[in-house]
Amino acid sequence: VEPMADSELVQRLKRSVEEWNAWRRDQERDFEPDLTRAVLNNVDLTGADLSSSRLAQAELGAATLKRCDFRGADLVDAYLVGANLEGARMAGAKVMRARLRGANLEGAAMVNADLEEAALAGASLRRANLSGANLREATLTKADLTEATLTGADLQRARLEGADMTKARLRKAILLHADLQRSVLNGASLVGAVCQSTVFIGATCTSTDLRNIDGRNADFSQAILQDADLRKADLGRAVLIGTDLASSNLEETVLREA
């Protein structure tokens, strides 16, 4: 028998966030509310303390979850399509395979969150902090990552086609085999990022900081790298067919067999 949410907890949460938060403060610090598979679609839970909660497979479609505390929560396989998670705190949360298409995660704090295989197509992650997050094989097609922080994030095999990463911070991020076709990286920083076999076909990287990247075997075909800083980047065997490198800085850039 698959686990189900404690119905009394679900009713308490729906009744009043203020009451729920007061009740949470009276519980032991290691208490983990069981809301597994809870149905909370379209519910307004703004500011709710859901830290360490078990929300695996919960239904939170189009729910209002602004400034909610999800730190350490289990949201594996949760349904959050169209949910509003603006300013939510999700550090260390388990969000694997969660469905977050079109969700609003603007300014969300997601440091070290596990979002492996999460579906985030069309989601807004403007100014979100995803430092150290696991986004392996996540789908971020046409997502808005403007000014997002992804320092040290693991984006191996992530799908970022058409994503807007203007001024995003991706220092030392791992982008092995990631697909960034037609993405926008204007003014972004990828200093020291691992971009081996990464696909940048048709990407726009004007004034992008690509110093010290490991771009071996990456595909920059038809990409725009005007005014990009590629000092000390390793582009060994990279594909540069039709790449626009006008005014880019190629000082000490490795172009072996490129």
Side-chain angles (χ1 to χ4, degrees):
V1 178
E2 292 189 31
M4 289 290 291
D6 183 321
S7 58
E8 289 185 16
L9 291 187
V10 174
Q11 290 309 312
R12 184 191 296 271
L13 180 57
K14 284 183 173 180
R15 190 163 55 243
S16 164
V17 168
E18 187 177 355
E19 177 190 324
W20 170 272
N21 287 349
W23 175 76
R24 280 297 308 266
R25 286 191 290 271
D26 291 335
Q27 307 306 307
E28 297 292 334
R29 291 186 65 180
D30 59 353
F31 177 61
E32 299 179 353
D34 191 353
L35 297 164
T36 305
R37 299 174 69 195
V39 178
L40 295 160
N41 296 308
N42 300 300
V43 175
D44 187 347
L45 300 175
T46 300
D49 179 1
L50 292 162
S51 57
S52 301
S53 294
R54 300 176 191 171
L55 285 152
Q57 299 181 58
E59 294 187 25
L60 291 149
T64 301
L65 305 165
K66 293 195 290 186
R67 300 185 302 282
C68 279
D69 187 349
F70 287 106
R71 288 176 295 176
D74 180 353
L75 286 153
V76 176
D77 292 312
Y79 182 84
L80 291 142
V81 172
N84 187 348
L85 290 136
E86 185 176 352
R89 291 181 287 173
M90 304 179 75
K94 297 176 183 176
V95 201
M96 294 87 83
R97 298 184 304 277
R99 286 162 288 175
L100 288 143
R101 290 186 303 279
N104 179 5
L105 288 147
E106 291 191 25
M110 307 173 80
V111 176
N112 297 324
D114 192 340
L115 291 138
E116 186 162 352
E117 294 184 36
L120 290 147
S124 177
L125 292 140
R126 295 174 68 93
R127 295 182 296 280
N129 188 349
L130 289 145
S131 297
N134 177 13
L135 287 151
R136 285 190 182 200
E137 298 188 51
T139 301
L140 291 146
T141 309
K142 294 185 179 179
D144 186 352
L145 289 149
T146 304
E147 296 182 6
T149 299
L150 291 138
T151 304
D154 188 345
L155 289 143
Q156 291 186 57
R157 299 186 186 279
R159 295 185 55 189
L160 290 145
E161 302 103 303
D164 188 348
M165 291 178 275
T166 302
K167 295 184 179 178
R169 292 177 281 277
L170 290 140
R171 282 176 170 264
K172 296 187 177 179
I174 302 171
L175 288 153
L176 277 165
H177 298 283
D179 191 345
L180 284 82
Q181 291 187 62
R182 301 179 305 282
S183 62
V184 178
L185 288 150
N186 296 336
S189 173
L190 283 84
V191 176
V194 179
C195 299
Q196 288 183 41
S197 301
T198 303
V199 179
F200 290 97
I201 297 173
T204 305
C205 304
T206 304
S207 301
T208 303
D209 193 343
L210 296 159
R211 286 174 295 157
N212 296 103
I213 68 162
D214 182 351
R216 289 173 291 171
N217 299 302
D219 191 343
F220 288 94
S221 300
Q222 308 301 324
I224 299 171
L225 294 166
Q226 292 181 10
D227 296 306
D229 192 343
L230 285 151
R231 284 176 289 172
K232 296 186 178 180
D234 187 348
L235 299 180
R237 296 188 178 180
V239 181
L240 297 166
I241 299 171
T243 306
D244 185 349
L245 289 158
S247 302
S248 60
N249 191 334
L250 297 167
E251 185 180 331
E252 295 186 64
T253 301
V254 176
L255 292 164
R256 179 183 61 258
E257 298 181 55

